[in-house]
Amino acid sequence: MFCNQCEQAAKGTGCTAIGVCGKQPDVAALQDLLVYALKGVGFWADKARAAGKKDNEIDRFVIEGLFTTVTNVDFDPADIEKVLRKTAVIKDKAQLLAGPVAGTIPAAATWQPAADRAGLLAQGESHGIHNADVDTDIESIRQVILYGLKGYAAYADHALILGRESDEVYAFTHKALAATLDETLGLMDYVGMAMETGRINLVTMELLSTAHTDSYGHPVPTPVNLGTKAGKAILVTGHDLKMLEEILKQTEGKGINVYTHGEMLPAHGYPGLKKYNHLAGNFGGAWQDQAKEFPNFPGAIIFNTNCIQKPADSYKDRLYTWGLVQWPDVKHIDGWDFSALIDKALACDGFKDNPGQEILTGFGHNAVLGVADKVIAAVKSGDIKHFFLVGGCDGAKSGRNYYTEFVEKAPKNTIILTLACGKYRFNTMELGDIGGIPRLLDVGQCNDAYSAIQIAVALANAFECEVNDLPLSFILSWYEQKAVTILLTLLHLGIKNIKLGPTLPAFITPNVLNFLVENFNIGPIGDAETDLKAILG
Ligand code: FSO
Ligand code: SF4
């Protein structure tokens, strides 16, 4: 196996014998084959669209297929084999839709699945991401695009679950998948496509943001308790709000308290979700602490997206997956009936009353722009000197203490906007406020980067300048492909001087990195104090 798609890539180059994330070589081979087969589907679907034909089943399938291969989503070889066999059927459907086409037909477009698992594994091993025949810079930029597609596929899937989809997103996905097979394209063609991937992610994040706010209202600043309430308990982790809503509905009046975990924390800010009294609080920290924290959760636990890790026996029996997340031998709930999860929660001990610290969430663009006058006045008077967006994913590397230190040491006249699971490095710090504006503003999940962009654009409009001219710096942490797609969005918007850590992606070659440095002045994080001084002058 060879996989380099996330920040944990072994030795900073790629996982070979086994994934640092726990991905086994068979799963890696099946996922590689799935990506290869999806490129084939993309080729035909793109040709079909050029002939004015499209098919919603194909469109949705490609999005789900890509999301299946994102880091920490599907670790079950049996499930991926099922998806692969369906991919072959979808590919035939897309080919039929496209009709006869002129020109070269890439091998991925004519792939047929082997009859058994061993055959599929052999196929997967010969279609990994490393291709000796391809120039390393081309391979690098194709990976940037592929990982960008995977990242926004996750957001498109959440939007679809709320009944929203975009033909523009589907059309580009097919086109970009097909382009990764095209031997006639050069480096700058792919660079343009990478920027377009960022634009399409912006479209997708907007779609999801609107789906969330139309369904549950705009987030409002809300205190979230980190302690526990007496009663039975369910822990929901992942990113899917619709699934949380269903669990809240189905547990009403049953003496079960529902807790959020990880990226579900911002759910507390939505009026349509916070109205449930049994949405009790948030349990634990970011995803990489689950094996340490889940044994202490005396109830049922369910994942609705990444980031799942190998479950310990101490809680495996109380663990469930839903949607595209799968782990072999962990019970999977298909559809919207959560009675098995609820029964498990009722059979567990539950919590005693133990109130904890309260932290704030719910500072989406609507809430922040609601006090825009106050914010603008504070900038003009000098009370607010600078804004930092310290956001992105968390992870296990010790270098991530940088983000804790950065926020800790940021001067008292600065505001920290944050989003995604990286916030757990500092979201219990008491940072105080500036004239009533909290210094730490939790904008939401990783996909709420859309909201952060709206805030930045509104500030730029108010000060009649460009976003790059604002007293605003982006200090980002990355882990998996959603962070890649968000980074591409920021580059598409022309945002400069981003600091990225804890390490730079293994799939970026020196030449591609040079391009990013020359055009966007993107750079690695250094030492928190030195970086702060350099930014603030
Ligand atoms: Fe984190 Fe995991 Fe939200 Fe990611 S929980 S790491 S970038 O899935 O998507 O921020
Ligand atoms: Fe390694 Fe990350 Fe790939 Fe897992 S997803 S195998 S940790 S590079």
Side-chain angles (χ1 to χ4, degrees), residues 42-61:
F43 173 83
W44 292 118
D46 183 50
K47 293 282 183 217
R49 280 177 175 261
K53 295 176 201 159
K54 56 188 182 184
D55 180 290
N56 203 240
E57 189 193 12
I58 298 170
D59 298 336
R60 291 175 177 180
F61 183 85

Side-chain angles (χ1 to χ4, degrees), residues 239 263 287 306-307 393 420-421 446 479-480 482-483:
H239 297 74
E263 277 277 70
W287 66 272
N306 44 350
C307 286
C393 327
C421 57
C446 43
Y479 172 59
E480 39 89 343
K482 290 187 235 175

Side-chain angles (χ1 to χ4, degrees), residues 204-436:
T204 314
M205 291 195 300
E206 181 178 13
L207 193 71
L208 180 56
S209 177
T210 311
H212 282 159
T213 53
D214 284 356
S215 306
Y216 308 116
H218 278 283
V220 292
T222 304
V224 182
N225 201 288
L226 302 182
T228 59
K229 277 188 188 166
K232 304 291 184 183
I234 286 177
L235 187 61
V236 182
T237 186
H239 297 74
D240 201 280
L241 297 189
K242 171 77 181 157
M243 180 267 208
L244 174 68
E245 182 195 21
E246 278 308 312
I247 288 180
L248 287 166
K249 279 186 190 161
Q250 291 180 33
T251 47
E252 229 171 351
K254 290 201 161 79
I256 297 174
N257 288 314
V258 177
Y259 295 84
T260 55
H261 174 264
E263 277 277 70
M264 296 302 293
L265 166 63
H268 291 272
Y270 287 88
L273 298 171
K274 64 183 271 179
K275 69 180 184 194
Y276 293 93
N277 286 330
H278 61 302
L279 180 59
N282 189 72
F283 177 88
W287 66 272
Q288 75 279 358
D289 292 332
Q290 62 191 263
K292 213 167 53 202
E293 295 173 344
F294 286 1
N296 305 323
F297 190 84
I301 304 167
I302 187 160
F303 270 92
N304 62 37
T305 59
N306 44 350
C307 286
I308 192 169
Q309 289 182 295
K310 184 178 193 298
D313 288 341
S314 55
Y315 61 87
K316 199 172 181 180
D317 175 53
R318 296 179 277 120
L319 187 67
Y320 294 78
T321 58
W322 180 85
L324 299 178
V325 199
Q326 306 238 14
W327 192 283
D329 303 330
V330 168
K331 293 174 285 291
H332 187 73
I333 294 179
D334 223 355
W336 297 96
D337 177 1
F338 293 103
S339 44
L341 175 84
I342 292 169
D343 289 347
K344 177 57 81 180
L346 291 171
C348 292
D349 293 346
F351 277 117
K352 293 199 169 63
D353 243 337
N354 186 17
Q357 185 187 349
E358 280 191 339
I359 58 171
L360 278 176
T361 190
F363 292 96
H365 59 281
N366 199 60
V368 174
L369 298 180
V371 292
D373 290 353
K374 229 168 145 178
V375 174
I376 290 162
V379 174
K380 286 188 172 153
S381 70
D383 289 346
I384 295 177
K385 186 176 179 206
H386 206 88
F387 298 87
F388 293 107
L389 177 76
V390 188
C393 327
D394 207 353
K397 287 235 175 88
S398 55
R400 290 181 181 270
N401 287 342
Y402 168 93
Y403 300 96
T404 319
E405 241 180 82
F406 191 98
V407 171
E408 218 165 42
K409 292 186 171 153
K412 291 201 172 3
N413 56 3
T414 59
I415 296 268
I416 315 285
L417 296 155
T418 190
L419 49 85
C421 57
K423 67 173 71 109
Y424 283 99
R425 294 267 160 183
F426 46 78
N427 69 351
T428 54
M429 285 182 195
E430 309 272 4
L431 295 184
D433 64 284
I434 300 176

